[in-house]
Every structure is written in C-alpha cells, then in structure tokens.
Amino acid sequence: MTTPLTPGPVKKWLLEVEDADPGGYYEGEREAVKKEHVQPWWRVMCLTGVDYFSTLGYQPGIAALAAGALAPVATLVLVLVTLFAALPMYRRVAVESPHGDGSLSMLQRLLSYWPSKLLVLSLLGFVATGFIVTITLSGADAAAHLTENPFLKDALHGKEVLITLILIALLAAVFLKGFSEAIGVAVVLVVAYLGLSTVVLVRGVFEVLQHPTAFGDWTDSMTATHSMPFGIIGASLLVFPALALGLSGFETGVVVMPLVKGDPTDTHEAPLGRIRNAKKLLTSAALIMSVLLVGSSLVTTLLIPAESFQPGGEANGRALAYLAHDLFGDGFGTAYDAATIGILWFAGASAMAGLLNIVPRYLPKYGMAPDWANSTRPLVLVLSFIAAIVTIAFKADVDKQAGAYATGVLALMTSAAIAVFLTELRRGHRGPAGFFAVVSAIFVYTFVVTILERPEGLIIALLFIAMILTVSVASRISRSTELRVRDVVYDDGATALITRTSDGKNPLRFIANKLDAGDGAEYDGKSLEVRVDNHLKGWQKALFIEVEITDASDFDSPVSVRAVKVGQHEILRATGTSVPNVLAAVFLDIRDRTGIPPHGYFEWSDRAPGANVLRFLLAGEGDVPPLTHEILRRAEPDEARRPKVHVGG
C-alpha cells in the first residue's frame, strides 16, 4: 500500500489554518459576542478611517481634474449625497446586518435559492474590484508622495511602479507573518494624519483670507464658463460620478461592526448597543470627512495653479501634500508625506483584511471555496499577485485607477441602496421606501455614468466575477460528495421509533422513498417492489426514509428528522439540502446511536447519467444510491463501520 506523502515544511506553513482571524481586527462574531475583542466605537472608526480618510490624499486632485474651478461645488454635492443619502442608507444596513455581513447579506435574504447565490457571487466581483484597487490605488498614491518629495525626487522619480510593487510586497509579507494590534496602529495613523491635515487646511484658509482676490478670481473662473447659478449646480451634478470614490468607507464601517463595543445587555439576536454605537461611528466619520473634503477642495482649488493638478504636475494625486510643502516648508511637508504614506499603505492593509474576511464569509457557505481558501496565506499570495498585475496594467497611475475604484465602491453602494429600498417596501413602510427609492436612483445613475465614462472598472469587475464563478463552480463540483451536514436533530417520535425498532443485535433497515401521494397504496407498492428487487425477507423489518429538499443551493445545513406513520408503515422524514447527503448523515448518526451500521435499500434511476449529475448539483437529487455510497465511503474509511447501501431493479 502506498504511504501518503507528508507535506513539506513550506507547504505545511502555507496551508496552516490560523486560529484567529488573520486580519487581526476583522474578528469573528463568536469572539465579539464573548466581548474579548470589542473596542469603543471611536477606535473602530479610526480603523475604518485608514480607508475612508486616506482618500483625502488624492480626492482633491481628482476633483480638480474632473471639475476644474467647479471642484469645491462638486465636492459639496458629494458631501450632500454622503450626509443625506449614503449615511441614512448605511445606518439602516447597520440595523439589518449587525454581525459584519454588510449589505450583501440583505440582498441574500431578499432572494432565495440559486438567484441569491449568483447575485452575491457577482457582487463579490465588485467587492474584489473595490478592495484590490484600494490596495493598488493607495500604494500608487503613496509612491507619488515619495517620488515628489523634494528630498527623494531625484532618486525615485520615474520609479512609481516599482515602489508600488514593493509596497504591495511588504503588505503581503505582513499578512504572511500575521496581522495583529491593527486598531492601535490605525488610531495613531488617523490621529496624526487628520491632525496634520487640519493644520494644513487652517493655514490654507488663512492664506486665502490674506489674499482677498483669491476668492473673487475663483468665482470669476466659475462664472466665465457657467454664468447662471443653476448652470454651476448642473455642471457639478454631472461630474459627481467622478468624485464618488470619496464615499468609500461606508461598507467597511458595517463590515467591522462585530468589533464595536455595545451594552452588557446586548444579545446575538438584538445587539442594540452595538447598533447604536455603530451608527455613531458612521455618523462621526461622515461628518469629519465632509468637513475635510469641502475644506481641502476649496483651499487646493484657490491656492494651487490649475496646471499643477495635471498628470505629471507637482500636485497631481497629492494636493494637500503640495500645500504642506508650499506653506510650511519641506520639513513639515516631509512629515506630512510620511503620515500620508503611512495611512495610504495601511488603507491597503485594511482592504486586504476586508477581502480575507468577506471572501471566506460567503463562499464556504455555498461550498464554493477550495480547501486552501480556509488558509490565509495562499489567499494573501493570490490577492497580492492580482494587485501586482493591476498595478502594472495601470502603470501605478492614480488618475487611471480612479474609475475602477469608483466602479467597485458604487456597485456596493448601489446594491446596498436597492437592498434597503426593497426591505422597506416589503415591510410596507411607504415613506422610507420612497426615500430610499430616490437614493437608489441616484446611485444607479452614478454607477451607470461611471461605467460609460470609464469602462475599465467594469472590465476588471467582470474578470473578477468570471474568476470567482469559475473557482466556485469547480469547488462546488469537487466538494459535492463531502458529508456536508452540521447536525442531525430528531423529534420525540423519531427518537422513540429508532429506540423501539433497534434491538442492539441487528441493523436497522431503511427503504429510501421519494414522497409522492403519501398514502398507504404508495408505501405498499414501494415496499413490495424494493423487497423483491433487493431480496429483502418478509420477516426483516424495514422503515421508510424520505428526504425533503429545503434549499439545494445551500452547501450545508442541519438535518431535522420526524416520525410519520401511514397505515402499518413507519417513516422517518428528514429535511436538508441534498438527498444523498441527508441520507448518509442520518445513516451515520443512527450507526453511532445504535452501534450497528444500518442498511439502506434503493432502486436505480432511469434518467441519463448527465441529467442525474445536473440534478444532483442544482437540485440536490440525482442518482441517489451511488452518491450516497460515495459520501459514506469518504466520510467513513473503515468499511466495517460504514452503513451498507443496497441497490436493486
């Protein structure tokens, strides 16, 4: 007999499953319920802020490129959408999904069976787009701050792609080693970055006040193109989609909810304190970001020459850093560069941890994650490799990646808006449903315009969707004969029937039946047919066993068993996601209860093999006898302890 190969030390380390969530701050719900990893809401806000607040590094420059002199007004439109559309929407998501599942879980609950799975898998493609481009965009902007620093410019200029790849590699190395104490680091980075940014903005406002003509020159520049106020507002609305990446932190805010400290009276079913504090987190982050967005856009537009925002210009992708150097000198400017590089790099870490949390949260439920996906390190390597490819494809250009980033962010926010709208509509709340219908329309419009103007984001998302679907289908097929039942639960009648029928010496015998009419004639005919085909003697007592499919698209679920009697026939009726898996689970459980492997009696299917394979994968049925046998064979290697499968006909 061939001895199985022992995995080498590298493979063993690579496939090692971490006990705790490797992301460090994306702890599981079980740990959060134990109150072992929860934090005050303001500290968790800093964690989401490394992603959300870091967009200040490049948002003012992108706004200036997209809107020119209208950038402050366009940014004000973004702030209004943030406060009066996105914020109410995600406060509602926090109520509906307080355990870190995000808005995807709301859509999943609104649909069922395979449509819900396919929708979530597709949205995961946009999630991957948003988070992967967060890593690459943040790294590229960090590289821009490095290469434009006056002390490093001569040595590093033109090496943006290499620097970004090095930052991604360092990010991967951190996660391969393990990522802990992230909230403490996030607090330091956010406080330092927001503090220095506030200093720059206050000094910028002071400079504007010192030059009375600056404000007048700006308004003249706006009215030169759009003489009427409505024209300015309309033009600002039209460029809003280009600024939508300034909404990036909301989904992260609800994903990290399990870390938010609630009240001692919180329960898993009703974590009211956590929900209340999560709303504080979302509201505070939105208000802080709104003030900073408007302030940064105003001072950078008024104080920085328009040509400096253009690709290759000194303010491109680093408008506030440009002002920090210009207003305070290179010493303070370098300190600001360091804080910006730190928060941008950590935004990539936040995105990586988000992917390591979200992908395993959904795909294993569907049986659509390969075995190695349970290990963090292979997933880190795959995600880092994809990020490197995206960096090279976009040449580490911040402006070119903005469209792809906005596509991922807007896809999630659009799906969240629609989910909240449909939830309110289903519950008959007409007022809120009408409001969120308008919010949904805003995000649908923004999403469509972004795709039309910058289709590269959609192309990347479609590639991710294709990859996820391919891996998911392959994984589901390869894992289809696993014993995927969490628990077998019997009602009192089923327990009594098993106890009464088992004598401790002979195996229990079961005739598998697909419920049809459910009358005595059905069981009389089935019993006679199976006994004849399988040479089952008349004195050998046999119970019937039937399986009702609940949701075949679910990969695993608990099995419930109840007892029914029709005439003289006694029946066990079980529910689950797949007939072969349920039968195998019940047989193994009865083996453990009685100490004797039971026998199951089946008939061959008359359908073609290909049709049976599809019925098994999609509907949980198919050619039941060989599939039940294969599941039992994989679950119980010892043949003597394995329940027996008999097939006649």
Side-chain angles (χ1 to χ4, degrees):
M1 185 175 66
T2 304
T3 303
L5 294 176
T6 303
V10 175
K11 185 176 181 180
K12 185 176 181 181
W13 172 80
L14 194 65
L15 297 178
E16 179 182 2
V17 178
E18 308 266 350
D19 290 334
D21 195 317
Y25 47 84
Y26 283 84
E27 306 294 0
E29 174 64 18
R30 182 180 302 175
E31 289 78 8
V33 167
K34 294 178 181 177
K35 307 295 190 296
E36 294 175 355
H37 301 282
V38 293
Q39 298 279 345
W41 66 266
W42 62 269
R43 286 176 62 86
V44 183
M45 184 191 71
C46 291
L47 172 61
T48 66
V50 295
D51 178 14
Y52 194 23
F53 299 143
S54 68
T55 58
L56 285 171
Y58 43 82
Q59 176 78 2
I62 291 174
L65 275 179
L70 295 178
V73 181
T75 302
L76 181 60
V77 172
L78 172 66
V79 166
L80 293 175
V81 173
T82 297
L83 296 178
F84 298 104
L87 179 59
M89 176 177 76
Y90 273 97
R91 284 171 62 93
R92 195 73 185 88
V93 173
V95 174
E96 295 293 330
S97 183
H99 302 302
D101 294 321
S103 58
L104 294 186
S105 64
M106 294 180 64
L107 282 174
Q108 185 182 21
R109 291 196 297 268
L110 289 169
L111 298 174
S112 60
Y113 298 98
W114 288 110
S116 69
K117 273 63 175 181
L118 291 175
L119 176 62
V120 170
L121 290 175
S122 298
L123 289 174
L124 283 176
F126 288 101
V127 170
T129 301
F131 280 122
I132 288 291
V133 179
T134 296
I135 295 171
T136 60
L137 180 64
S138 299
D141 198 41
H145 283 76
L146 277 170
T147 56
E148 291 297 331
N149 184 277
F151 299 118
L152 302 173
K153 188 170 185 176
D154 292 338
L156 299 180
H157 190 71
K159 299 178 180 177
E160 290 84 358
V161 174
L162 177 61
I163 294 171
T164 305
L165 292 175
I166 291 173
L167 291 174
I168 292 172
L170 290 173
L171 186 68
V174 169
F175 278 90
L176 290 173
K177 175 68 172 62
F179 201 65
S180 59
E181 304 302 328
I183 286 185
V185 176
V187 171
V188 172
L189 287 173
V190 167
V191 170
Y193 181 67
L194 293 186
L196 292 174
S197 296
T198 302
V199 171
V200 174
L201 292 179
V202 171
R203 178 62 185 276
V205 171
F206 179 77
E207 287 293 319
V208 171
L209 296 176
Q210 291 293 105
H211 298 82
T213 61
F215 193 82
D217 292 342
W218 169 58
T219 56
D220 290 343
S221 178
M222 284 195 300
T223 55
T225 308
H226 305 282
S227 57
M228 299 296 291
F230 287 111
I232 294 175
I233 296 172
S236 300
L237 289 172
L238 290 175
V239 299
F240 165 70
L243 278 63
L245 73 170
L247 297 165
S248 63
F250 283 101
E251 190 71 26
T252 309
V254 291
V255 167
V256 300
M257 278 188 66
L259 289 182
V260 177
K261 185 176 182 180
D263 296 335
T265 56
D266 281 3
T267 64
H268 183 274
E269 293 74 21
L272 301 181
R274 176 196 296 175
I275 292 172
R276 184 183 64 254
N277 289 334
K279 288 181 177 180
K280 292 180 183 177
L281 181 159
L282 294 168
T283 304
S284 299
L287 290 172
I288 292 171
M289 190 61 171
S290 296
V291 172
L292 293 175
L293 280 172
V294 173
S296 63
S297 181
L298 186 63
V299 299
T300 54
T301 302
L302 268 62
L303 297 178
I304 298 177
E307 60 271 14
S308 296
F309 290 111
Q310 299 302 315
E314 293 182 349
N316 181 253
R318 53 185 300 276
L320 285 178
Y322 175 94
L323 282 184
H325 284 272
D326 185 58
L327 298 176
F328 291 97
D330 291 338
F332 180 89
T334 298
Y336 188 80
D337 283 341
T340 305
I341 291 166
I343 198 169
L344 286 168
W345 183 79
F346 214 69
S350 172
M352 178 71 79
L355 283 170
L356 294 176
N357 173 69
I358 290 176
V359 172
R361 188 180 290 271
Y362 286 98
L363 293 185
K365 291 181 181 179
Y366 308 159
M368 292 179 173
D371 291 338
W372 56 260
N374 291 320
S375 303
T376 299
R377 295 181 179 113
L379 198 54
V380 167
L381 293 177
V382 170
L383 296 173
S384 301
F385 176 76
I386 294 173
I389 296 298
V390 172
T391 295
I392 295 170
F394 284 102
K395 298 180 180 179
D397 190 302
V398 174
D399 300 325
K400 290 181 179 178
Q401 295 180 77
Y405 185 32
T407 299
V409 170
L410 287 171
L412 281 179
M413 301 197 78
T414 302
S415 65
I418 293 173
V420 173
F421 160 63
L422 292 176
T423 299
E424 296 291 357
L425 187 64
R426 176 175 288 186
R427 293 176 179 172
H429 302 160
R430 294 186 178 181
F435 171 75
F436 287 114
V438 175
V439 173
S440 299
I442 292 172
F443 282 109
V444 168
Y445 160 77
T446 308
F447 181 56
V448 171
V449 170
T450 301
I451 289 175
L452 293 176
E453 292 183 350
R454 312 190 75 167
E456 64 273 12
L458 178 62
I459 294 171
I460 293 175
L462 291 176
L463 289 174
F464 279 124
I465 291 171
M467 290 170 53
I468 290 172
L469 289 176
T470 300
V471 172
S472 297
V473 171
S475 174
R476 180 84 181 214
I477 292 173
S478 66
R479 300 182 61 191
S480 60
T481 54
E482 288 182 11
L483 182 65
R484 51 189 210 236
V485 172
R486 295 180 228 156
D487 194 17
V488 181
V489 180
Y490 302 88
D491 70 359
D492 292 340
T495 301
L497 176 59
I498 294 170
T499 302
R500 185 174 70 252
T501 307
S502 174
D503 60 9
K505 299 177 182 178
N506 298 301
L508 290 183
R509 304 178 188 276
F510 293 93
I511 297 174
N513 179 54
K514 183 176 182 180
L515 181 62
D516 189 11
D519 55 14
E522 176 183 343
Y523 295 104
D524 289 338
K526 185 72 171 183
S527 177
L528 178 60
E529 186 177 359
V530 170
R531 286 179 178 276
V532 170
D533 290 341
N534 290 277
H535 308 288
L536 189 60
K537 303 296 187 290
W539 54 268
Q540 293 176 312
K541 183 175 177 58
L543 306 176
F544 279 90
I545 186 166
E546 299 169 343
V547 177
E548 177 186 356
I549 301 298
T550 51
D551 184 352
S553 64
D554 286 338
F555 187 68
D556 62 9
S557 70
V559 170
S560 61
V561 184
R562 60 191 177 93
V564 178
K565 189 169 185 179
V566 178
Q568 61 180 351
H569 303 288
E570 295 180 298
I571 308 151
L572 291 182
R573 286 183 179 164
T575 60
T577 61
S578 165
V579 174
N581 272 277
V582 170
L583 291 174
V586 172
F587 289 166
L588 289 169
D589 188 78
I590 288 175
R591 185 274 314 271
D592 295 338
R593 286 171 173 265
T594 63
I596 303 172
H599 289 227
Y601 296 87
F602 300 82
E603 292 181 294
W604 290 112
S605 171
D606 293 330
R607 295 177 183 266
N612 274 323
V613 170
L614 289 176
R615 289 177 67 230
F616 174 56
L617 294 175
L618 298 177
E621 297 178 350
D623 198 1
V624 174
L627 290 168
T628 304
H629 178 269
E630 178 60 18
I631 295 168
L632 289 169
R633 187 188 67 81
R634 293 185 60 180
E636 178 51 77
D638 186 353
E639 187 174 357
R641 288 178 43 79
R642 190 185 306 153
K644 310 304 178 187
V645 174
H646 305 269
V647 190

